[in-house]
Every structure is written in C-alpha cells, then in structure tokens.
Amino acid sequence: MSDIPTNILYIEDDLGLAQLVNMKLKRENYHVTHAEMGRQGLILLRDQDFDVVLIDFYLPDMDGLEVLKAILTMKPKATCIMISGINDMQLMVNAIKQGAEDFVLKDFEGAYLELLPRTLDKALLKQRLITEKETAEQEKNKSEAFYRSLIEHTHVVAWEYLPNLGRFSYVSAQAEKLTGHSLEEWTSEGFWEARLHQEDYARIIAFCSSLPHSRQEQGLEFQLLKKDGSEIWLRQLISVVEKNPEHDYILRGFLIDTTESKQAIEKQRLAELVFDTIHEGIMITDANNCIEAVNPAFTEITGYSFDEVKGKNPRILGSGLHDAGFYSTLWQSLNEHGHWEGEIWNRHKNDKMYAESASISYVYDQTGHLKRHIAIFGDVTEKKQAEAKIHYQANYDPLTDLPNRQLFQDRLYSALASAKRNSTQLAILFIDLDRFKEVNDSAGHTAGDKLLIQVARRLNECIRESDTLARLGGDEFVVILNNLSNNHDAENVARTILEILEQPFSLGAGITAAISASIGISLYPDDGEEDSALIQNADAAMYRVKETGRNGFEFFTAEMTREANTCQQFKSAFKDSLEKGEFKVFFQPIWRLSDGRVMTVEALLRWQHPVWGMVMPDQFIAIAEESGFIHALSLFVVKEVAQHIKAWSEQGCNEVSVAINLSPIQFRRLDDWLIQMYEILSVHEIAAPRIKLEITETALLGNHLKLMETLKRVQASGIEISLDDFGTGFSSLSRISDMPLDFIKIDRSFIGQIGQAERSHVIEAIISMAHGMNCRVIAEGIETTEQLEYLKQLGCDLGQGYLCSPPAPAADLLMLLQKGVFIGDKNAEVQSDSY
C-alpha cells in the first residue's frame, strides 16, 4: 500500500458495522465514505470519484446487485467489491458476472475485517490514485468528525480506557441511554468494581492487562448491572491500543448490547429443552400437514419414531373411531379460529387405542400465510378409565350393574322435567322381592347375590331402553316408565314383571329358588309432581301389597285416602301445634361403656297433641320432611336444647353435650340452617362443642363433595358429627371413608340380634372399620347387661338404650346428669320403645 490514502465508498445500512469497517480500514490508510442506502451511494458516486466502492448486498431500498448494475451504468470503469453475510455461491457468481471486482463474505468472528484490506490491495492494483498528504490529512479530520457523529447516534458505545488508572476517560453518550448510568458515573473510579459481576470483573481486568502485549483486536462478553438493578449483556471490542506521551497504554473500543441475542439464544435453548423433556407429545407439520418434527414424548405415546413418521400425514395415527363429522368440526375450528382443543382417540403402533387430550394450532408467516401446524397432546387413557371407574362406582350398583339410588334420583329428576315440559305421563314402580330373606338365610349370601343378578336381568327384559331400572339396595328395585299413554301401560309392565319373576331361579349347586314381588305404582302428575312424593307414594302402595298378601301390584289411589288424610291433617296442624308448645323435646343418655360415665344426651322430638295424644316421630317426621316443616321443627329443637344446656350448666352439669338429629331433607338447605343454628347458640351463649349433629346414611346420597366441605366447616367450629343407624342404609365404606365423622352409631336392629353368630360378626366388623377411620362407636338399643358386656368385649366406645334410661323430659333427666355415672343393673326393667 502507498502512504497516500485511497478513497473508498462503503454502502452499508448498519452504522455499527460501518464504523468497525471504517476504523479497520483507516488503520490501513483508506478513506471510507459511508452511505446507508443504495440510492444515497449512487448520489455520492455521481458527485465525486471513488477508488473503490464496497457494496453490502442487503440494503433497505435496493439489493447489492441492483446497486452494482446502476454504478457500472453510471461509471463503467468503477471498481466495485460486493460484501454479504450470506454464503451463497450463486450470489458470488452473479456479482462477478455482473462486474464486481471481488466478493467478501462477512463472518460473526470479524475475520473478514482482516481479509478486506488485502482484497482492496488486490483490487487497487488496477487503479491506485495518489493524493497529497494534506488532502489525506483533511480527509482524516473530516472522517473523524463523521465518526464522532456516528458514535453519538448509534447503539454502539465508543470508549477510551486508561488501564493504569483503572477507569474510563471517555464514553459516548449512548452509554447512558443503554445502562442508565450517567457519563460521570462511567468515568468515575471504581465503576467496574461496583457494576460488574465478581467473576466478570476478574476476567475484564485480566483481559485488559493482556492487551498491551497484543496488537490484535480482541473481544469479550460480560454482564453489567444497569442503574435499575437489572442485568445487561455487553460485548467489548478493543480496536485501538496506543501509548500516550507518558508512555501509558490507552485502550479504545466499542461496547455492543448483546442482551437480546443472549436472551434469544437462551429462549431457543429453553425451547429445545422443553421440546425434548416435556411429557406431552409434540408434533409439527408443514402447511400441507406433512410431519416435520416430533419430540421424544411423541414416540413414547404413539410408539412411532421420527424416521417412521417424517413427511407423513398425521392420519396414520387415526383410530377409525371418529366419523367424518368429528374431523369436519375440528378443521372448521382451525380454519375459523386457528385453534382446536379436545379429546381424540388414536391408534398406537402396537395397534392399541389410546385417548389424547390435544391442542392444535395454526402458525402463520409474516405475510399471513399458513406456515405449519403444531399439535400438543397427552395420553389420558388411564385418566379416562379412572374417571369411568369412579363414575361407575358412584352411579351403578356393582352387583347388578343397574343404576344405584343416586343415578336413579338424577334420572327421575330429568324424567320429571321432560314430563312437565311435554305434558306427558310417567310412572314409578317400586318393586320389593317377596321371600328374598328366606333365600338369603337358607342358601347363603352368594346364592342371594346370584338371585339378585338374575332378577335384574329379567326386569330389564320387561322395560324399554327409554325407561330406567335401578336397584336401591337390598331386594328393592324401582322402575321409571316414561311417556305413558295411559294407566294400562304401567299395569301391563307390572303384570309382565310378576309373571317373569314367578319362573324358578337356578342359583347353582342344585339350588332352585321361587320368589314373587310386591309392586307399588305411582303416576305423574296424578299422584304427585315432585320426585319425593312419587317415590313415597309408590312405596306406600307397595306396602299395601305386602299387607294384603304379596305377589301383586297396587296403584296409589283413593283406597289410601285415610293415610293421605292423616298426612294432610298433620301438615295443617304442624304450625299451630308448634306455636302452642305441643312439641316437646325428650333426652336419652349416651354413656361411656368403659366406666359408665354419661357423656352425651340425644335430643328426641315428641308431639303431644290434645286430640291425637302422644304422636311418635315415625308417624309425623316423614310428613314434616315432605312438607318442608322439618326445618322449623329442627330449629325449635335447637332452641330447646340451648335452653336446657344453659339450665343444666347452672346446676353444675357443664360437660354434657347434646346430639341433634338432622333430616336428609335439611341437607338441601344445610348452609342456611347452620347459620340459624349458630345464631341460636350465640344468643344463649352455648359453646359449639356442647352440640353434636347426627346424620343418616341417606344424607350421603346427595352432593357428596359439597356435603363434605360443609361438614368439615361444622367440625372445625367444634361440633362433632355422628353417622346414625349405620348398617341399615345404602352408604359404602368408599363413600363415608373421607367424610368428617367423629362417631358411627350401630343401628339397634344389630344390637337386638347379639348372640346370633352372623350378626355378631357384622357388629365386630363395623367397630373395627369405625376405629380404622378414627371414629368412636355408639351402640343404640342396649337393653340387657349381656348386650352391654358383649359390646365392651368388642371394644365399643359408647352405648345408648333403655338399660340406662328411656327418652325422658329434661327435668327427669337432671338427677342422672348430676350423678354423672351410670352402672348397668342386670335386673333393670326393660321397656320396648324405639323412640
């Protein structure tokens, strides 16, 4: 190279790169004129002469070949060199063919900056212009002013650093915009120490210390804390190493913000990590729906490797279970919304079906054209199987596969809604098997189960698919007959059932059973418009059949007027009797079997009517439940209980709690009832632990989750909860195991049969089960010391029954409460009263 600078026109839209090229070529004694756009370069070339024109291929207004063609049209002898960051051989050939002197390929490491001067030397062998030193000096000063302007307006930070002083002597204004730190902070002592990460600080110091021994340009990336405390990634390029008059080294260079590129790389790495490790399968297809990529989870779920599905349509996974309408809806959603979510059945490589929970999305390019599809899916086969199992267990009788009570209630609710909407008639057939207990007792439970299974099959043959047959429990079945034309339809079904059940049943092992059935029928809307009324009336009609000889059917008709009239009389008298104080609360003690100490008393309602005399609960509670009056009655019981607890406390009985029974009907409005109960207790200053609530197994047939949440809140307030009459209802261990129960009460029917081996085993099993659930056991109906001793041996916790005391008014019970301890008397007189 000559000492006279060469005039270069550099057409480049990236100011930072242009500046780097400027400074590199300036050291090689070139003068570079920079143009950001092609047309700007053409204007410059028109107005002045240049020795060489450097053309970047990608420019905002026109590509490099267009610029090259225009330059050579304007000045055919111009020397042009094409620069590009794309390694495209065809581009190189086209540029040379079109008249370019040479082609320089950019690289990320900046090696082309070293190559460029040699390329220029080679090109300028053809034409080299010698200028005067003064002209070169003027161009130098002019270019320095230009560079200074560029430095102040570019995103690149120019700097000058004094290693001996350990601080910057100069940084460009962009440093403050980039980091938030003022120029005064940048040039102050200790800036690096305060703002660099410790490991980065050591690397920076070592890096700067090595520079005076090397004349090569070097770079280093590091993290700097911005003013707001966030981090920024910077790449430091050292472009000048000089000595000042005092022979101290001066470093000059640039800082480039690489945060976005770092973040982009990290996002890409994270995306790749997610793609490879996520448990959901991912499948990417092109615009033609051909598979482009899959992740490892795809292979695990489908059994297919990428090589086996590459370029193929996803329909190779199709199960054949979905019709054309399903896929039409799927594609319609994708085309209209760009997204679809749902469940789909596909086929594994091993030919097994599996269920997917899938999400499919369209991906568009910058022009809005469809570029690819992305499907993300998970294998939910086991989940669906588990859900199906849970649904079955919650809604079906495991013995007969018939709907259970809960599903029956749902079906009846829907049937009634349809009948009301369409003004149609339906019937309820309540079926109770005759002599089933005899078969069970004589042939055993296994034979009894086989009989129930065969009965279910025969009953199913008697009804339509639109009807419902359910097993409520034991030997009780119920049928919903929908859309009846007249009463004869229900009568015909009942006769068919009776005929088919009269045929003998073969139960294996040479056992043959002959049974019959009693069927009660209620009709909508004649016999009631609500589900509870229809069931109750069908049940009443069935009992009429039982009373009149069994093996027949009865409609709920005018023949049952007396019972209906009594029911209406009770409904009419309820409110007036409550206001007149005719309802009374009696109490029966519950004692600890280990030491005879009375722990609790159960509140029992009685109705002392002036005409009808003492009306027991079994005569009016069901009617009160049906009419909704049960809510008012139960709140009356709470008020009476609160008053008596307060009175007993004044007499020194401060530890005895009272158990209050809740009707299953009340669970429909349980939250409201509890609010009123707490208000009553608060008014009387009764602590919550002085109250216990008794619920029956029937209550568990409702909204199980909601009930559990409510009872947990009640329990948390200090009120303990008992499950009453266990063993007579329809609950299962799986249903009550997660309920917040404190006590389980064994029904009196089991206690009365103590001594019978089979029943004794049941009692022992119930006690063991309850203790396994951390519940205490209360035995109801203890009437003899023999029963008492037997229950003690089994580990029963508490007892209730006439052996201690019958239900009695509060005043009569006070002496026993004050005594506090009951000791069973083998000669105690036993009365037979169930209430």
Side-chain angles (χ1 to χ4, degrees):
M1 281 290 298
S2 169
D3 292 333
I4 300 174
T6 304
N7 200 18
I8 305 296
L9 173 61
Y10 183 24
I11 305 175
E12 167 64 64
D13 63 323
D14 191 324
L15 295 181
L17 292 177
Q19 192 172 15
L20 293 174
V21 171
N22 266 339
M23 299 193 71
K24 175 64 179 177
L25 294 182
K26 183 174 70 173
R27 295 206 327 240
E28 302 295 336
N29 210 22
Y30 289 100
H31 171 70
V32 180
T33 300
H34 173 232
E36 295 183 40
M37 299 188 179
R39 290 186 178 83
Q40 181 186 358
L42 293 174
I43 294 172
L44 291 170
L45 192 64
R46 182 190 63 193
D47 296 336
Q48 54 184 303
D49 292 325
F50 294 90
D51 301 297
V52 179
V53 180
L54 301 177
I55 308 168
D56 183 62
F57 180 78
Y58 291 102
L59 297 169
D61 56 344
M62 53 200 303
D63 66 41
L65 292 178
E66 293 174 338
V67 175
L68 176 62
K69 183 177 180 180
I71 291 175
L72 294 178
T73 301
M74 182 188 305
K75 294 183 178 182
K77 294 184 179 181
T79 299
C80 300
I81 297 175
M82 185 70 67
I83 300 177
S84 174
I86 303 299
N87 188 0
D88 188 336
M89 182 58 70
Q90 188 60 48
L91 174 60
M92 299 179 188
V93 172
N94 291 341
I96 298 300
K97 284 183 177 180
Q98 194 163 306
E101 185 66 29
D102 208 341
F103 190 103
V104 176
L105 181 64
K106 298 178 185 177
D107 66 310
F108 291 105
E109 301 299 327
Y112 77 98
L113 294 176
E114 299 293 335
L115 176 64
L116 191 56
R118 292 194 294 274
T119 304
L120 287 172
D121 283 345
K122 178 181 171 183
L124 290 173
L125 287 175
K126 296 180 179 180
Q127 52 175 320
R128 180 179 301 164
L129 301 177
I130 303 176
T131 59
E132 296 294 334
K133 184 177 180 180
E134 180 180 354
T135 303
E137 188 65 30
Q138 289 175 353
E139 288 297 326
K140 178 181 177 182
N141 293 337
K142 185 177 180 180
S143 66
E144 285 181 353
F146 176 68
Y147 298 152
R148 178 68 67 180
S149 176
L150 285 179
I151 288 172
E152 298 301 332
H153 294 89
T154 186
H155 293 294
V156 177
V157 177
W159 55 267
E160 184 178 86
Y161 186 72
L162 305 177
N164 289 349
L165 299 179
R167 66 177 182 86
F168 292 97
S169 57
Y170 164 79
V171 291
S172 60
Q174 187 63 27
E176 184 170 359
K177 298 177 183 177
L178 200 61
T179 67
H181 297 291
S182 67
L183 299 182
E184 289 76 15
E185 289 177 296
W186 268 94
T187 55
S188 63
E189 292 186 14
F191 180 77
W192 279 132
E193 291 89 336
R195 290 301 165 182
L196 282 175
H197 283 267
Q198 188 62 40
E199 59 271 21
D200 287 343
Y201 174 74
R203 290 193 302 117
I204 287 288
I205 296 304
F207 176 73
C208 292
S209 299
S210 67
L211 288 174
H213 307 290
S214 172
R215 301 298 296 180
Q216 296 182 352
E217 294 182 5
Q218 300 187 45
L220 180 69
E221 279 192 321
F222 59 91
Q223 293 183 82
L224 184 75
L225 293 177
K226 296 171 66 174
K227 188 76 171 180
D228 60 9
S230 61
E231 297 175 350
I232 183 173
W233 276 94
L234 297 173
R235 180 170 178 78
Q236 179 173 260
L237 297 177
I238 309 297
S239 59
V240 178
V241 180
E242 296 181 354
K243 286 186 177 182
N244 62 15
E246 288 76 26
H247 301 287
D248 291 332
Y249 285 100
I250 301 174
L251 307 181
R252 297 190 182 93
F254 302 93
L255 291 174
I256 302 173
D257 182 3
T258 60
T259 305
E260 288 188 4
S261 63
K262 278 281 188 182
Q263 291 174 343
I265 293 172
E266 179 61 23
K267 287 181 180 178
Q268 177 67 23
R269 187 197 66 79
L270 183 60
E272 292 174 354
L273 180 64
V274 171
F275 187 82
D276 290 337
T277 60
I278 191 173
H279 293 297
E280 282 74 23
I282 300 176
M283 177 177 62
I284 302 175
T285 64
D286 60 17
N288 296 319
N289 208 25
C290 295
I291 297 175
E292 287 185 329
V294 299
N295 69 337
F298 172 94
T299 301
E300 183 178 348
I301 293 172
T302 69
Y304 289 98
S305 68
F306 175 56
D307 290 338
E308 292 175 306
V309 299
K310 183 179 180 181
K312 295 183 180 180
N313 191 289
R315 70 170 61 97
I316 66 170
L317 302 173
S319 65
L321 298 179
H322 301 289
D323 57 18
F326 173 85
Y327 291 104
S328 175
T329 301
L330 183 153
W331 284 107
Q332 182 179 356
S333 176
L334 282 171
N335 292 329
E336 292 180 357
H337 308 292
H339 186 72
W340 177 86
E341 285 187 10
E343 290 186 352
I344 185 170
W345 282 91
N346 276 334
R347 189 184 299 274
H348 192 274
K349 182 181 177 181
N350 62 15
D351 213 36
K352 291 184 179 180
M353 303 293 185
Y354 64 93
E356 289 181 4
S357 176
S359 171
I360 306 174
S361 300
Y362 276 170
V363 178
Y364 302 93
D365 61 20
Q366 294 179 345
T367 63
H369 293 94
L370 177 63
K371 190 173 184 181
R372 54 177 52 92
H373 315 83
I374 298 179
I376 302 175
F377 59 92
D379 187 346
V380 295
T381 308
E382 292 186 2
K383 177 184 176 185
K384 291 187 71 66
Q385 291 172 344
E387 289 175 349
K389 182 177 180 180
I390 292 172
H391 179 269
Y392 176 83
Q393 292 174 339
N395 293 281
Y396 288 88
D397 171 41
L399 178 65
T400 62
D401 281 335
L402 295 178
N404 60 14
R405 181 180 290 270
Q406 177 168 302
L407 184 55
F408 164 73
Q409 293 282 6
D410 292 341
R411 295 270 183 91
L412 180 56
Y413 179 84
S414 299
L416 284 173
S418 176
K420 292 176 183 178
R421 186 168 56 251
N422 300 313
S423 299
T424 56
Q425 188 181 45
L426 66 80
I428 303 294
L429 275 63
F430 202 106
I431 305 167
D432 187 271
L433 302 182
D434 302 328
R435 297 187 300 277
F436 173 75
K437 187 176 183 299
E438 298 174 11
V439 176
N440 226 17
D441 292 343
S442 60
H445 288 293
T446 301
D449 289 345
K450 290 181 179 179
L451 176 60
L452 291 173
I453 292 171
Q454 294 183 40
V455 167
R457 292 172 183 169
R458 292 189 188 184
L459 292 178
N460 253 327
E461 297 173 3
C462 303
I463 62 173
R464 303 163 296 180
E465 289 187 3
S466 59
D467 300 326
T468 293
L469 168 65
R471 180 190 177 208
L472 300 186
D475 60 346
E476 291 183 339
F477 297 83
V478 64
V479 174
I480 305 172
L481 299 177
N482 294 299
N483 299 316
L484 299 182
S485 300
N486 50 58
N487 294 3
H488 294 297
D489 291 342
E491 180 177 344
N492 291 336
V493 173
R495 292 187 185 280
T496 302
I497 290 174
L498 293 175
E499 291 174 4
I500 201 170
L501 292 182
E502 285 180 346
Q503 301 173 19
F505 291 86
S506 178
L507 307 181
I511 302 174
T512 301
I515 63 169
S516 59
S518 299
I519 305 174
I521 306 172
S522 64
L523 301 172
Y524 168 85
D526 297 344
D527 300 330
E529 297 188 359
E530 301 299 328
D531 53 358
S532 58
L534 289 170
I535 296 171
Q536 180 177 325
N537 292 340
D539 186 47
M542 183 272 294
Y543 275 109
R544 175 62 63 86
V545 177
K546 291 280 189 185
E547 292 171 357
T548 56
R550 306 182 181 184
N551 193 22
F553 66 88
E554 283 278 0
F555 282 91
F556 182 79
T557 63
E559 295 179 7
M560 303 170 190
T561 302
R562 182 179 63 80
E563 291 85 349
N565 287 340
T566 300
C567 175
Q568 188 58 45
Q569 289 175 346
F570 280 1
K571 289 179 181 178
S572 301
F574 277 150
K575 183 177 181 181
D576 187 53
S577 291
L578 184 61
E579 293 176 350
K580 290 181 178 179
E582 295 172 4
F583 284 99
K584 307 292 183 182
V585 177
F586 281 39
F587 299 90
Q588 187 174 32
I590 298 173
W591 75 95
R592 189 163 54 201
L593 300 190
S594 61
D595 58 7
R597 185 176 183 81
V598 176
M599 306 300 296
T600 306
V601 294
E602 180 179 359
L604 300 168
L605 192 62
R606 300 290 187 266
W607 186 4
Q608 184 64 55
H609 193 273
V611 176
W612 304 324
M614 180 66 77
V615 184
M616 303 304 286
D618 66 329
Q619 297 174 278
F620 68 84
I621 288 296
I623 301 173
E625 290 176 336
E626 178 188 342
S627 65
F629 189 68
I630 191 68
H631 298 287
L633 275 180
S634 62
L635 290 175
F636 162 76
V637 172
V638 173
K639 292 177 182 177
E640 289 289 300
V641 165
Q643 292 173 0
H644 288 305
I645 289 177
K646 195 172 184 65
W648 291 336
S649 296
E650 293 173 354
Q651 297 295 322
C653 301
N654 297 312
E655 297 180 358
V656 176
S657 58
V658 180
I660 299 174
N661 290 280
L662 284 182
S663 162
I665 302 301
Q666 291 179 260
F667 283 79
R668 300 175 184 175
R669 295 167 45 190
L670 184 57
D671 289 339
D672 292 339
W673 186 88
L674 288 171
I675 291 173
Q676 296 179 72
M677 180 198 72
Y678 284 124
E679 290 178 351
I680 294 171
L681 296 181
S682 177
V683 169
H684 291 82
E685 298 180 340
I686 303 299
R690 298 292 296 276
I691 300 296
K692 290 178 173 56
L693 296 182
E694 291 196 4
I695 64 175
T696 62
E697 295 181 66
T698 310
L700 305 182
L701 298 176
N703 188 330
H704 184 66
L705 292 178
K706 182 179 179 182
L707 173 61
M708 185 168 64
E709 292 174 0
T710 302
L711 294 182
K712 282 183 177 179
R713 292 197 303 270
V714 171
Q715 198 179 55
S717 72
I719 295 177
E720 293 181 314
I721 300 169
S722 296
L723 182 62
D724 197 10
D725 299 333
F726 184 77
T728 62
F730 308 99
S731 64
S732 63
L733 178 58
S734 63
R735 193 166 184 85
I736 68 170
S737 60
D738 59 346
M739 295 297 293
L741 301 174
D742 299 286
F743 300 91
I744 289 180
K745 298 185 76 171
I746 303 176
D747 185 68
R748 66 180 66 249
S749 62
F750 291 96
I751 307 304
Q753 297 178 21
I754 285 178
Q756 300 179 18
E758 183 178 327
R759 287 298 184 178
S760 299
H761 290 317
V762 172
I763 296 173
E764 184 176 1
I766 292 175
I767 293 173
S768 177
M769 178 207 71
H771 286 168
M773 295 168 53
N774 293 321
C775 292
R776 286 163 286 176
V777 181
I778 303 173
E780 293 184 291
I782 301 176
E783 298 180 349
T784 67
T785 54
E786 288 77 14
Q787 293 171 347
L788 175 63
E789 293 303 318
Y790 179 77
L791 290 168
K792 284 183 179 181
Q793 293 175 10
L794 293 182
C796 183
D797 303 286
L798 303 163
Q800 180 178 358
Y802 276 56
L803 184 63
C804 175
S805 170
D812 296 345
L813 203 66
L814 180 58
M815 184 179 298
L816 181 60
L817 294 180
Q818 289 175 330
K819 184 178 180 181
V821 176
F822 159 70
I823 299 176
D825 181 1
K826 293 184 179 180
N827 299 316
E829 181 181 355
V830 176
Q831 303 182 45
S832 179
D833 187 346
S834 301
Y835 301 95

